[in-house]
């Protein structure tokens, strides 16, 4: 039984051409949101089962690549065209040579994938629902049904989704929702860029089914809303090599903390540190655990007073170390008697 199960409907075969000593340097990897999350989780010491489809000859290659990275792969094999891309980065910028989102899942394949994800997710007790490569790969309602069934069985559900899939997952209910401010704007869920509007949107997402809401904001501190209120989490500033994969590393770091028994407020510190390290690297979802652990000490957490109706949103605490985060989650006054 793995620590974390990841629902990854359509992993992607990635071919990237770079240059080394004046010669082409070709890299072949498994990619896609669920893969990048899994890669970071393994780096943080968690065991991972990936439930996915493996399509055609590309799918057979992906199985080997995923297993070589230490994942337990539960794959639904099917014929057809898989998700893949070829990118040329020799000029310093990423140039698309060819891309394919793959083919939508047939009903039988979707039923089989749903079944294995439910089985393995209930066994591990912690599941990340990640998005597919293409918008038409599977019905959005799959996320509602799977989130609801997993939580009824006692599993915790973490989602990093947008659009119709986000709305569907909320209807099923989730323990942690991670979304970017940019995605909220694109989905029409955030039309006013003010801090008060963002906090109001987070409260709405909380009411609609997310026990905890994490919103990443690019280079700005991320925000977390849970049952105890809002906190602002600021990562250390790092020199950026590639921003892609930072959000997936954040999600993976949160899941790794939850798998260790941490609260969401503790786990988000690991997530923030993992995301900060990932931007310094060209490999998406990568980073060594020792450096992430060191960066955790540089993460700043501030509890926020939200009085949006009066136009006031401000931090009320300064830096909180990871060891002190438990106090933020404890609603008792400082002089309250501790039960024995």
């Amino acid at each position: 039984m793995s620590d974390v199960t990841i629902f990854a409907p359509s992993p992607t075969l990635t071919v990237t051409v770079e240059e080394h000593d004046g010669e082409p340097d070709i890299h072949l990897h498994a990619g896609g949101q669920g893969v990048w999350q899994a890669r970071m989780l393994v780096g943080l010491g968690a065991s991972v089962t990936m439930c996915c489809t493996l399509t055609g000859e590309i799918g057979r290659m992906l199985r080997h690549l995923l297993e070589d990275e230490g994942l337990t792969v539960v794959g639904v094999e099917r014929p057809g065209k898989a998700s893949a891309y070829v990118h040329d980065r020799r000029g310093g910028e990423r140039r698309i040579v060819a891309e394919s989102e793959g083919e939508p899942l047939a009903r039988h394949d979707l039923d089989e994938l749903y079944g294995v994800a439910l089985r393995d997710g209930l066994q591990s007790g912690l599941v990340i629902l990640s998005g597919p490569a293409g918008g038409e790969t599977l019905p959005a309602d799959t996320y509602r049904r799977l989130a609801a069934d997993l939580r009824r069985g006692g599993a915790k559900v973490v989602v990093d989704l947008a659009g119709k899939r986000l709305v569907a997952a909320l209807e099923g209910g989730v323990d942690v929702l991670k979304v970017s401010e940019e995605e909220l704007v694109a989905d029409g869920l955030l039309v006013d860029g003010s801090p008060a509007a963002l906090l109001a949107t987070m409260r709405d997402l909380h009411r609609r089914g997310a026990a905890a809401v994490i919103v990443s904001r690019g280079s700005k501190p991320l925000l977390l809303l849970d049952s105890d209120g809002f906190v602002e989490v600021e990562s250390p500033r790092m020199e950026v090599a590639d921003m892609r994969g930072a959000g997936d590393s954040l999600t993976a770091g949160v899941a790794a903390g939850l798998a260790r028994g941490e609260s969401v407020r503790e786990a988000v510190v690991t997530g923030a540190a993992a995301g900060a390290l990932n931007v310094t690297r060209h490999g998406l979802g990568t980073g060594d655990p020792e450096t992430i652990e060191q960066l955790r000490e540089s993460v700043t957490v501030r509890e926020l007073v939200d009085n949006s109706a009066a136009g006031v949103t401000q931090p009320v605490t300064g830096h909180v170390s990871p060891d002190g985060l438990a106090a933020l989650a404890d609603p008792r006054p400082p002089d309250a008697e501790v039960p024995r």
Side-chain angles (χ1 to χ4, degrees), residues 7-331:
F7 176 72
S10 53
T12 300
L13 179 67
T14 74
V15 182
T16 305
V17 185
E18 298 185 345
E19 188 170 308
H20 182 69
D21 292 335
E23 297 291 332
D25 188 16
I26 301 174
H27 298 266
L28 188 69
H29 295 290
Q33 184 185 44
V35 175
W36 297 325
Q37 293 164 346
R39 188 172 290 143
M40 179 58 76
L41 274 162
V42 170
L44 288 168
S47 56
V48 178
T49 293
M50 176 168 288
C51 298
C52 60
T53 56
L54 299 171
T55 306
E57 60 183 0
I58 286 178
R60 292 191 291 273
M61 185 176 297
L62 281 170
R63 178 184 288 278
H64 292 294
L65 292 172
L66 292 168
E67 290 177 344
D68 285 347
E69 294 199 42
L71 307 180
T72 298
V73 180
V74 180
V76 175
E77 297 183 0
R78 63 174 187 147
K81 184 171 67 174
S83 171
Y85 68 66
V86 179
H87 288 178
D88 189 339
R89 208 161 56 185
R90 283 175 291 181
E93 299 293 329
R94 188 179 296 271
R95 183 174 68 86
I96 298 173
V97 178
E99 289 186 332
S100 170
E101 293 183 345
E103 297 174 342
L105 297 183
R107 180 183 60 80
H108 174 76
D109 296 326
L110 179 57
D111 285 348
E112 189 173 351
L113 178 61
Y114 191 100
V116 296
L118 184 60
R119 180 197 66 201
D120 286 81
L122 292 176
Q123 288 177 353
S124 67
L126 177 59
V127 184
I128 298 178
L129 302 183
S130 69
E136 304 301 321
T137 301
L138 74 170
D141 191 60
T142 306
Y143 290 89
R144 177 194 62 81
R145 296 190 297 117
L146 190 52
D149 286 344
L150 286 165
R151 295 186 89 213
R152 288 191 190 102
K156 291 183 178 180
V157 176
V158 177
V159 301
D160 185 350
L161 301 168
K164 294 179 180 179
R165 292 185 286 272
L166 180 153
V167 173
L170 285 176
E171 292 177 2
V174 302
D175 294 276
V176 180
L177 164 66
K178 182 269 172 185
V179 65
S180 72
E181 184 177 24
E182 183 180 17
E183 289 167 332
L184 291 175
V185 171
D187 292 341
L189 298 174
L190 178 63
V191 295
D192 176 355
S194 68
L198 178 56
L199 298 189
T201 297
M202 293 176 68
R203 287 195 300 272
D204 182 58
L205 295 172
H206 180 61
R207 285 192 295 266
R208 290 169 62 179
V213 180
I214 299 171
V215 177
S216 61
R217 302 190 293 160
S219 60
K220 299 177 184 178
L222 66 85
L223 298 176
L224 164 67
L225 170 64
D226 61 10
S227 58
D228 293 314
F230 289 94
V231 294
E232 178 186 76
V233 182
E234 185 170 6
S235 306
R237 292 292 182 90
M238 312 295 285
E239 294 296 320
V240 176
D242 192 342
M243 285 295 295
R244 297 191 319 144
D248 296 319
S249 294
L250 163 61
T251 302
V254 171
L258 294 176
R260 291 193 294 263
E262 296 175 355
S263 69
V264 175
R265 292 196 176 194
E266 294 168 318
V268 76
V269 175
T270 299
L277 179 59
N278 188 243
V279 304
T280 70
R281 306 167 65 89
H282 290 294
L284 278 63
T286 62
D288 66 278
E290 292 82 7
T291 304
I292 291 172
E293 186 62 31
Q294 291 175 347
L295 288 176
R296 288 183 84 252
E297 299 301 322
S298 300
V299 174
T300 300
V301 180
R302 302 180 185 90
E303 193 168 15
L304 296 179
V305 167
D306 175 27
N307 188 6
S308 302
V312 177
T313 304
Q314 60 185 22
V316 296
T317 65
H319 172 76
V320 181
S321 68
D323 291 338
L325 279 171
L328 286 179
D330 192 342

